[in-house]
Amino acid sequence: MMKTLLLTLMMMMITTDDQPRQVILFYTENGKSLFEKQSEELRANDAGLRERDINVIPYQLSRENAAQWKRFKVDTSNDFTFILIGRDGGEKHRAERVVPAKELFGKIDAMPMRRNEIGEKN
């Protein structure tokens, strides 16, 4: 029993290490300027995104994207919502404003999994 539990936990750890972090950007037509500012901020810091294995996924409010808005419980009355998803698939940060790259990287670099990644590189 204990051996099975340990094996299951080890498999979960292996699986989540390979999953990239995600920044998901939800925006309405009124939030397009915030989306563009956030996109510009992230593009300007592309090296940091790659180093931290972050995928950026945008979802403009539409019929086609309604399921994603619902899945992440994003209020459609908000013009812009920023969500950070960790390697474990859990939500790590949410904001209704443009998040500076320095703030994003600070949050990620403080996470235990990221600290382990940094330690493995050194």
Side-chain angles (χ1 to χ4, degrees):
M1 177 72 172
M2 186 60 114
K3 204 176 206 181
T4 305
L5 180 62
L6 185 60
L7 185 59
T8 303
L9 287 171
M10 287 174 59
M11 290 303 291
M12 285 173 60
M13 288 173 64
I14 291 168
T15 305
T16 59
D17 282 352
D18 292 341
Q19 181 177 332
R21 294 172 181 92
Q22 297 178 352
V23 166
I24 308 175
L25 306 174
F26 293 91
Y27 65 101
T28 64
E29 188 61 37
N30 290 338
K32 200 167 193 165
S33 65
L34 289 171
F35 165 73
E36 289 169 357
K37 285 178 187 173
Q38 184 68 72
S39 297
E40 191 176 303
E41 173 73 8
L42 296 173
R43 272 193 305 275
N45 291 279
D46 185 59
L49 294 176
R50 281 182 301 185
E51 179 185 329
R52 292 165 182 84
D53 194 21
I54 302 169
N55 288 342
V56 179
I57 305 167
Y59 289 113
Q60 185 170 10
L61 183 59
S62 68
R63 221 176 265 148
E64 294 83 19
N65 295 328
Q68 294 301 325
W69 284 68
K70 187 174 181 178
R71 175 181 171 210
F72 288 97
K73 298 178 178 80
V74 178
D75 185 345
T76 57
S77 69
N78 290 339
D79 291 339
F80 178 80
T81 302
F82 174 108
I83 299 177
L84 170 62
I85 305 295
R87 288 192 186 277
D88 62 359
E91 185 175 317
K92 305 302 180 188
H93 183 67
R94 180 180 293 235
E96 280 77 37
R97 60 176 173 77
V98 172
V99 175
K102 185 176 180 177
E103 179 184 335
L104 171 64
F105 298 159
K107 288 184 180 306
I108 291 171
D109 292 348
M111 293 176 185
M113 197 174 291
R114 175 66 179 151
R115 289 198 310 260
N116 287 341
E117 293 169 8
I118 293 168
E120 289 172 5
K121 288 181 184 178
N122 294 332

